[in-house]
Amino acid sequence: MHAADSSQRFGIVLNNRVVRTPVAIASMAGWVDAPYVLARRDHVGAAFIGGYSIDEPTMKAAREMTAQGRKEFLYDDPVEELSAQVTRLEESGVVTGLNLRGSAPESYEAIAEIFGERVIYEIDAHCRQEPMIRAGCGEFFLHHPDRLMDTIKALKSTGATVSVKIRAGVHHDDRILAKELWRSGADIIHADLMDFGYQKLRQIRNSSPLFLIANNSITSFERMKEMFSHGADMVSLARRSDERTLAGLDAAITRYSDEHGWYNAPKQLCRGGDIRALSFCCMPVKNCPLLPTLERIGMTRDEYIALKMESVKGTPLEEGKQTCFGSLSWCCKDSSPCMFRDLTIRQVGLTNPDYMRLKCELAAKLIKKIFNDRNHDNPG
Ligand SMILES: Cc1cc2nc3c(=O)[nH]c(=O)nc-3n(C[C@H](O)[C@H](O)[C@H](O)COP(=O)(O)O)c2cc1C
Ligand code: SF4
Ligand code: SF4
């Protein structure tokens, strides 16, 4: 399939590159490097290689961890090592991220100055090994968020695309963390959800508009879909990133996307969906979860009605005289059977996947308005 076609299918662009499928490889120090990714290149859209230690204190920590029996990437010159890895992945078709461990913002900045736009820079705020925490990275960042925000800003000063790998439940409030990551300029939140599951993912989604990668035990299509319908833009796998599992997920989401149009459509709000579900919500005429949601985002009913009408102006979603509220903009997800909606969809010459793609565009407009223009406070 051509890049243009796959771009259309999932609509994902990271670091100015089209991502072929919303399945990624998450880093495992000592294991996930260029050869590891190349062996799986046909089934993933992105890969975060590493973690790589990038300065003396973190390289020392890696040696200490190796002495304690952990597998780590060891080398004397991080730039030489990273250069070899990045070069091997350049023509792979896999969008590459470097999972990095550094002891100071300047160390990250120095690496980004060297590699520029060739890769995404992922800050490892996840590692819980004592030597790394003592060196000032991994979980240290989640207990010292100011240090994390300084590191993001240092990387962003070079124009880099920045991902932050977090472990859920370490920071005292992941909703606040998500919001701070966004305000500090990060581009991607890569969240190991641990045992918290989709409820935690939804909290993060509702707190920031950033590209969101869900991680932890995503080994079946069911689990992957659960992540997509509660806010994930992409899923990643580490321990089970074997070819068979990755290929299965890639094929399943590709099929799903072709059938339904919007691969990560949220559940309806009243079924536990995240904030993107506003694109399926009715007019605010009854007592239902829409009202408390509007209250949390500080939007009046009239503002919500006006925003939705304005967002569908000039698009086929404006149509639908026979539908409950006079326009498809208020209509339900394609999975809720409705002959009035389906009749309108066909009258305006659309297929159901087209309808869902338009709802996806509507959700993007609503999210932009809610987060960027209104600067709202935590809908949680
Ligand atoms: C052996 C091993 C090494 C890991 N090394 C790193 C690392 O260097 N940086 C990082 O951010 N996460 C690291 N992780 C965490 C994984 O990327 C991932 O978040 C975690 O394993 C949960 O996802 P999974 O269920 O798909 O394995 C490591 C995990 C394992 C098992
Ligand atoms: S407005 Fe409609 S779709 Fe939204 S929560 Fe209420 S009943 Fe559900
Ligand atoms: S017309 Fe059908 S799809 Fe549209 S709001 Fe009414 S029930 Fe939902």
Side-chain angles (χ1 to χ4, degrees):
M1 172 164 250
H2 297 299
D5 298 338
S6 45
S7 161
Q8 224 181 14
R9 176 181 282 142
F10 294 107
I12 308 175
V13 175
L14 287 178
N15 200 24
N16 294 321
R17 292 164 176 82
V18 170
V19 177
R20 200 188 57 74
T21 182
V23 183
I25 298 175
S27 48
M28 288 190 288
W31 296 96
V32 178
D33 58 4
Y36 188 98
V37 174
L38 288 172
R40 295 154 176 82
R41 65 193 283 181
D42 290 342
H43 317 298
V44 296
F48 295 86
I49 61 170
Y52 291 103
S53 300
I54 52 170
D55 56 18
E56 261 317 315
T58 52
M59 283 162 61
K60 187 163 161 282
R63 285 193 286 273
E64 205 180 318
M65 284 155 62
T66 308
Q68 291 165 0
R70 270 183 71 95
K71 207 163 139 64
E72 285 287 317
F73 292 124
L74 298 178
Y75 35 77
D76 294 324
D77 182 349
V79 173
E80 193 182 347
E81 174 66 17
L82 288 176
S83 185
Q85 299 294 334
V86 171
T87 304
R88 293 186 71 173
L89 288 172
E90 214 111 63
E91 301 298 325
S92 66
V94 179
V95 176
T96 302
L98 299 177
N99 182 273
L100 301 175
R101 294 137 164 204
S103 68
E106 299 76 40
S107 306
Y108 292 86
E109 193 177 337
I111 293 292
E113 293 287 3
I114 293 165
F115 293 97
E117 291 174 4
R118 292 166 73 189
V119 289
I120 295 168
Y121 300 87
E122 181 166 271
I123 301 167
D124 179 355
H126 176 280
C127 182
R128 57 180 158 191
Q129 300 299 312
E130 263 310 309
M132 277 305 161
I133 294 172
R134 265 189 275 117
C137 63
E139 266 190 25
F140 171 90
F141 279 126
L142 300 178
H143 296 297
H144 301 84
D146 289 353
R147 194 79 175 154
L148 177 55
M149 305 313 152
D150 288 347
T151 305
I152 293 169
K153 287 173 191 160
L155 277 168
K156 288 307 291 182
S157 73
T158 70
T161 299
V162 177
S163 169
V164 183
K165 175 78 174 291
I166 62 167
R167 186 194 294 276
V170 179
H171 186 280
H172 67 90
D173 189 336
D174 287 312
R175 291 169 296 187
I176 295 176
L177 176 65
K179 197 145 53 126
E180 286 179 2
L181 293 175
W182 163 46
R183 297 236 163 102
S184 296
D187 301 282
I188 301 168
I189 299 179
H190 189 170
D192 178 345
L193 298 165
M194 304 295 286
D195 290 332
F196 296 104
Y198 69 81
Q199 291 92 342
K200 177 67 81 177
L201 179 73
R202 182 175 53 202
Q203 278 191 346
I204 297 173
R205 166 81 299 150
N206 287 353
S207 305
S208 111
L210 298 185
F211 191 86
L212 184 51
I213 307 177
N215 167 250
N216 202 306
S217 308
I218 299 162
T219 54
S220 66
F221 182 55
E222 275 317 298
R223 183 130 167 99
M224 180 197 220
K225 226 173 128 247
E226 188 173 82
M227 296 297 142
F228 285 145
S229 61
H230 291 93
D233 296 301
M234 194 169 204
V235 296
S236 77
L237 290 78
R239 289 165 296 178
R240 285 282 302 278
S241 55
D242 54 274
E243 257 199 282
R244 198 184 142 94
T245 307
L246 294 169
L249 294 181
D250 175 28
I253 196 61
T254 299
R255 226 175 11 250
Y256 182 86
S257 171
D258 289 348
E259 274 169 31
H260 295 276
W262 184 1
Y263 76 95
N264 64 340
K267 285 184 175 298
Q268 303 250 145
L269 203 61
C270 35
R271 298 198 173 174
D274 59 89
I275 193 156
R276 299 170 301 150
L278 287 178
S279 69
F280 297 123
C281 269
C282 331
M283 282 256 194
V285 291
K286 52 189 156 189
N287 220 351
C288 71
L290 172 63
L291 301 184
T293 300
L294 292 179
E295 210 165 289
R296 271 203 300 276
I297 61 179
M299 194 180 273
T300 64
R301 294 178 195 208
D302 286 347
E303 283 173 333
Y304 163 75
I305 294 172
L307 173 60
K308 269 188 99 165
M309 293 316 290
E310 177 197 312
S311 303
V312 297
K313 222 179 177 133
T315 77
L317 293 185
E318 251 190 326
E319 305 297 327
K321 294 279 175 283
Q322 310 94 314
T323 61
C324 290
F325 302 103
S327 134
L328 287 171
S329 67
W330 312 106
C331 276
C332 314
K333 210 175 157 177
D334 69 337
S335 51
S336 310
C338 174
M339 61 187 237
F340 297 106
R341 178 200 60 216
D342 287 350
L343 194 68
T344 304
I345 290 175
R346 263 169 269 310
Q347 274 170 356
V348 294
L350 298 176
T351 62
N352 278 28
D354 292 336
Y355 166 74
M356 289 295 281
R357 273 189 284 273
L358 288 166
K359 284 286 190 179
C360 176
E361 286 169 23
L362 171 59
K365 285 182 195 165
L366 299 176
I367 292 290
K368 184 168 177 299
K369 200 77 180 172
I370 289 167
F371 284 97
N372 296 325
D373 300 358
R374 297 173 57 85
N375 210 11
H376 88 97
D377 253 350
N378 232 342

